[in-house]
Amino acid sequence: MPPQLVTIAFSHYCEKARWGLVRAGVAFDERPYAPLISSAVAWRHGRSRTVPQLLVPGGPALTESTDILRYADAHGTGAPPLFPDGAAGADVAELVARFDRKLGPAVRRIAYGALRTHPALPRLLLAAGPAWQQRLPAATGKAILAAIVRGLRITPAGLARSRTVLDEELAAVASRLADGRRYLCGETFTAADLTFAALCAPLVMPPAYQRFTGGLDVTHPSIRGLLDEGRATTAGLFALSLYDQHRP
Ligand SMILES: N[C@@H](CCC(=O)N[C@@H](CS)C(=O)NCC(=O)O)C(=O)O
């Protein structure tokens, strides 16, 4: 039986794990849930509230996206490793941890901050999931969205703080690339590039990521400005090019 990947389909951390597994040729079954419902499922399996979680038969659940990338390196069928050996690997790991800690939460808050007025969002939160979840009333989607807005502290002050973090992170990436290198850690695609691109996906909406956003209308005014801005930055364009070249 292949491992199961428990996800929120459109979560950027889940996209990171999914990308790593697909790229490595690791077979898995995805089990997507709406936010909050995902937390209950994740707690039951891995005693952690977040997804992605990789449930490997006979082993403990992997509850961190980076551990899932390492699993992909160890169990893949020939793709070059995402974490190189030695000093290069340490640089990659440091960058991945930084993106996880700073970029991911900032992008999430800013994306929900923009999308919360998207009329289809409550329904989309429920759409990617098992049939019983899709049959829940739209009011459940609205309640989940309200809980997200409260839980993530999507307030003007919170959004301003995340904006500052995001601008710093995008600037740091642009400055790394300024010497003409092809990828964040040199001339090879690594976990740092994959993590950066996946965690930026809600800001630039590459077509390969849009497959997991339930048909979200990206021309709606709630998201249009965000995309225009993200796609106009050096780092945003870099994320799009990584998707073009490396997202299977
Ligand atoms: N450090 C975790 C972060 C994952 C994460 O924040 N997942 C979010 C979805 S984007 C989540 O499951 N949130 C639900 C919750 O915190 O209850 C990882 O890299 O896997």
Side-chain angles (χ1 to χ4, degrees), residues 9-25:
F10 53 82
S11 148
H12 52 349
Y13 288 97
C14 294
E15 166 64 0
K16 170 185 163 188
R18 181 194 292 125
W19 182 346
L21 292 170
V22 173
R23 171 184 178 275

Side-chain angles (χ1 to χ4, degrees), residues 64-80:
E64 286 291 326
S65 56
T66 298
D67 291 341
I68 299 173
L69 294 190
R70 290 194 183 276
Y71 178 93
D73 266 3
H75 296 86
T77 52

Side-chain angles (χ1 to χ4, degrees), residues 8 11-13 39 49-52 63-66 100 108:
I8 297 168
S11 148
H12 52 349
Y13 288 97
S39 302
R49 296 265 173 219
T50 62
V51 291
T63 59
E64 286 291 326
S65 56
T66 298
D100 281 351
R108 177 170 51 205

